[in-house]
Amino acid sequence: MGNRKPAWLDALYVQQFFTPCSTHENSKKNEKNVLCLDCCISICPHCWHAHRFHRLLQVRRYVYHDVVRLEDLENLIDCSAIQAYTINSAKVLFIKKRPQNRQFKGAGNYCTSCDRSLQEPFIHCSLGCKVIQFQFP
């Protein structure tokens, strides 16, 4: 990742996914579920052709939360301290922190940003919580 935060990282956090694409509003399967890392925008499958030479990252949905496959993301950013979850036999990372119903602090690891309980040796529950911890110029 270097010393500078990549622009796509902010885009991944703020772009809306799983909403209809305004360019292809009359097409079937027009939900935006891919982030173009070069343009920093969310796109639908019909937009892929215009971005075919760009780096693309697929966003998936798990219980109303946006996730990305660990395998796809670890080539772009260090994910070693972020707890991954296995969903449909694939390891995924949550993009944003998830709300907690109760605050209970017992023994164990906790997210350095939101205090979510984690497994050893992880210290971040999501990509967003990890990024908050870094200071970029």
Side-chain angles (χ1 to χ4, degrees), residues 4 11 17 28 33 43 49 55 63 75 82 90 94 101 113 124 130 134 136:
R4 300 191 64 198
F17 296 99
K28 291 183 179 183
N33 69 336
I43 61 174
H49 184 72
R55 298 172 301 147
V63 191
N75 296 326
I82 307 171
F94 286 90
N101 292 340
S113 177
H124 306 293
K130 178 176 179 154
F134 289 101
F136 294 97

Side-chain angles (χ1 to χ4, degrees), residues 19-84:
T19 58
C21 175
S22 58
T23 306
H24 300 102
E25 61 187 331
N26 295 324
S27 300
K28 291 183 179 183
K29 297 186 178 184
N30 69 346
E31 281 190 335
K32 298 186 287 181
N33 69 336
V34 171
L35 177 72
C36 176
L37 301 176
D38 298 320
C39 299
C40 297
I41 58 169
S42 56
I43 61 174
C44 79
H46 303 288
C47 296
W48 288 358
H49 184 72
H51 298 266
R52 67 186 174 277
F53 299 115
H54 296 182
R55 298 172 301 147
L56 303 176
L57 179 67
Q58 184 174 3
V59 176
R60 298 159 195 277
R61 199 82 162 145
Y62 177 70
V63 191
Y64 304 108
H65 294 284
D66 296 340
V67 298
V68 289
R69 289 174 72 175
L70 176 62
E71 181 181 336
D72 298 339
L73 198 58
E74 65 189 352
N75 296 326
L76 302 168
I77 189 171
D78 176 20
C79 301
S80 60
I82 307 171
Q83 182 165 318

